[in-house]
Amino acid sequence: MKMLNKILTITIALFLFISCEVEDGENLNGADTTSISSDISRGELGDAIGGVFSDMRQRLGTQVDAMSVVGREYWRIASSDPRWTGDLLTGVLDDNTFYTTTPYAGRYATVKDINLILDGLDNTTADFSEVEKAATRGLLNTIKAHEFLMVLNMQFENGIRTDVSDSDNLGGFNAYDESLAILIDILNSAAEDLDSGGEAFPFPIPAGFEGFGTPSTFNGFNKALAARIAAYQGDYPEVLSYLGDSFLDLEGDLAIGAYFTFSLTGADLANPLFFAQNSTVANVRIAHPTFISEAEADDDRLEKAPIRNEPLSNAGLTGAYDVFVYKSNIDPVGIIRNEELVLLNAEANHITNPSEAINSINIVRNAAGLPDYSGGSAPSDLVEEILQQRRYSLFAEGGHRWIDLRRFGRLDELPLDRTGDNTVTQFPTPQNENR
């Protein structure tokens, strides 16, 4: 049986809306997916959208940890599960275990949620205007592209399925480059819908998307994702085009962006990437020693990895610095931030407009308490500097280090800490996902 056929049906409002009654008496705690897909009501739509935003966070911790560990950003140590310091560092990955299957299933579960809502929107007899439908489609398809990208980032050359609207008749796998092109097409189509979506969404937007609460401003998030994908394609003119319509602000707060948010209320989720400082081997994230040793002096971003009271040793690994990007279990986790966009601007300009690339580099360096860049302006020099700044600016946020070294053909630069350790290029396709 295919993995996607085993994904549970939509879990609408599971985390954001508890015991809520909606239009026509539908109780979404026991979601009737037929009701959603066959004729979604106005009340159901708001709760269903809330469920999508909530489900985007499922297995986020597992995915970020897995990608960060193989990228040697940090070591994930759990005394109850040696696979974190075994499989992921030796490169012998299992196609039927949690670090492979659960992020994969979680992302596709969100896509299934989205497809059910889109079906319901097509079939609705409620009084949605065409403008409201366009706004809703634009938002949902933007999120769908994000979820597909999350899968593709792990699967890489294995490719992914993007035609999954009929779980009984799944489309085939698309190769990596083809998948990126499909995701750009999804985002471009979504952007057209957002452009036609009027001045407001017909449902509330969660707090993590503050600043993106209208179709027009949400389009800035859409364009930011498109810029990221275009960079993965190596299409720098398109990166610049998308950045021009995104929320990039070279003079603005680098923290501005879209975030996953968490809380301890009801059945909501806590931040899965938070561990208290000086945690034990039961559950801890230890910054890779090179994150400290290869940093420039006085880089404020080293605050993301404070020194422990005592070094920790486990499985032949010893580290003295915690990962402490998130200071509490309700801290938000960035989806995409202005800081990444500034660095994408640097990357997109590093060949054709090095002075502009250096300007963007200096924005990030200065924000981290560092002086202006003083290296060369050749593309090879600027790539080195951009990768360095991305390493420290995006540390522990989403596996960026691994993705960056892979796309520049530099995975062999990752440190191997023990005899028998190896690098990982991609995660295996889950065993139950028949090809």
Side-chain angles (χ1 to χ4, degrees), residues 13 20 58 66-67 70 85 113 118 141 149 166 171 195 215 221 251 261 276 288 293 319 356 373 384 403-405 418:
C20 53
Q58 294 302 305
M67 295 170 69
V70 298
T85 52
D113 291 355
L118 290 172
N141 282 315
L149 182 61
D166 182 353
D195 283 338
F221 170 68
E251 298 180 355
T261 53
H288 196 279
S293 65
E356 177 60 24
Y373 171 69
E384 195 75 33
I403 296 168
D404 287 345
L405 292 183
R418 307 166 302 183

Side-chain angles (χ1 to χ4, degrees), residues 103-424:
Y104 191 97
R107 303 287 67 75
Y108 273 112
T110 305
V111 171
K112 184 168 187 177
D113 291 355
I114 290 168
N115 285 336
L116 287 169
I117 300 169
L118 290 172
D119 286 345
L121 202 64
D122 285 341
N123 298 325
T124 187
T125 58
D127 60 343
F128 293 110
S129 69
E130 291 304 312
V131 169
E132 289 176 318
K133 289 180 181 180
T136 303
R137 284 194 307 268
L139 179 143
L140 288 172
N141 282 315
T142 297
I143 295 174
K144 181 191 288 189
H146 174 270
E147 297 298 277
F148 281 143
L149 182 61
M150 292 278 280
V151 181
L152 186 61
N153 282 340
M154 295 188 78
Q155 290 295 305
F156 191 43
E157 291 182 345
N158 290 330
I160 61 170
R161 300 182 196 270
T162 56
D163 180 6
V164 294
S165 57
D166 182 353
S167 59
D168 294 321
N169 186 29
L170 299 173
F173 284 81
N174 304 299
Y176 180 70
D177 289 341
E178 182 184 5
S179 295
L180 290 176
I182 290 170
L183 301 192
I184 285 288
D185 287 344
I186 292 172
L187 287 172
N188 288 342
S189 178
E192 291 178 4
D193 276 329
L194 290 167
D195 283 338
S196 303
E199 298 181 356
F201 289 113
F203 44 76
I205 301 295
F209 282 78
E210 183 180 356
F212 305 101
T214 68
S216 175
T217 55
F218 197 87
N219 217 346
F221 170 68
N222 172 295
K223 299 299 186 182
L225 290 179
R228 177 190 282 175
I229 295 173
Y232 292 177
Q233 293 175 306
D235 189 344
Y236 291 139
E238 281 297 280
V239 174
L240 292 173
S241 176
Y242 287 125
L243 286 176
D245 294 323
S246 75
F247 63 93
L248 168 68
D249 184 352
L250 295 175
E251 298 180 355
D253 186 343
L254 297 182
I256 290 173
Y259 288 81
F260 297 112
T261 53
F262 306 90
S263 77
L264 304 181
T265 61
D268 200 13
L269 296 179
N271 181 339
L273 294 170
F274 167 77
F275 285 143
Q277 287 183 260
N278 299 299
S279 295
T280 67
V281 293
N283 263 317
V284 66
R285 295 178 179 92
I286 299 293
H288 196 279
T290 58
F291 182 74
I292 307 301
S293 65
E294 295 178 1
E296 289 186 57
D298 301 321
D299 190 330
D300 293 342
R301 292 167 295 187
L302 289 177
E303 295 175 357
K304 299 176 182 181
I307 193 167
R308 293 173 56 84
N309 290 340
E310 294 182 357
L312 184 144
S313 295
N314 180 266
L317 306 167
T318 299
Y321 297 85
D322 280 323
V323 174
F324 204 56
V325 174
Y326 310 104
K327 305 301 189 290
S328 80
N329 58 3
I330 58 171
D331 270 11
V333 173
I335 300 172
I336 191 164
R337 300 186 293 111
N338 189 37
E339 190 161 6
E340 180 181 350
L341 301 189
V342 172
L343 289 168
L344 285 175
N345 189 59
E347 182 180 336
N349 280 293
H350 83 278
I351 297 171
T352 58
N353 191 352
S355 62
E356 177 60 24
I358 291 170
N359 178 62
S360 293
I361 288 168
N362 286 336
I363 289 170
V364 173
R365 287 180 59 88
N366 296 164
L370 297 176
D372 284 353
Y373 171 69
S374 59
S377 59
S380 58
D381 296 322
L382 293 175
V383 164
E384 195 75 33
E385 176 66 13
I386 290 164
L387 290 177
Q388 177 79 350
Q389 298 311 313
R390 285 179 62 87
R391 177 183 187 180
Y392 287 87
S393 288
L394 306 178
F395 175 70
E397 289 191 23
H400 293 282
R401 176 69 171 165
W402 179 56
I403 296 168
D404 287 345
L405 292 183
R406 183 177 66 191
R407 65 193 179 95
F408 281 96
R410 301 171 71 157
L411 285 176
D412 59 354
E413 296 180 8
L414 288 173
L416 303 179
D417 304 297
R418 307 166 302 183
T419 300
D421 283 358
N422 289 287
T423 57
V424 169

Side-chain angles (χ1 to χ4, degrees), residues 2-5 7 58-60 62-63 95 97-111 147-148 150-152 154-156 158-162 164 170-173 427-435:
K2 294 174 179 152
M3 168 66 73
L4 291 176
N5 290 337
I7 294 174
Q58 294 302 305
R59 301 298 181 178
L60 176 66
T62 301
Q63 178 157 2
D95 65 359
T97 197
F98 72 97
Y99 54 71
T100 295
T101 60
T102 58
Y104 191 97
R107 303 287 67 75
Y108 273 112
T110 305
V111 171
E147 297 298 277
F148 281 143
M150 292 278 280
V151 181
L152 186 61
M154 295 188 78
Q155 290 295 305
F156 191 43
N158 290 330
I160 61 170
R161 300 182 196 270
T162 56
V164 294
L170 299 173
F173 284 81
F427 283 75
T429 303
Q431 184 183 106
N432 288 344
E433 180 68 288
N434 298 329
R435 298 186 69 95

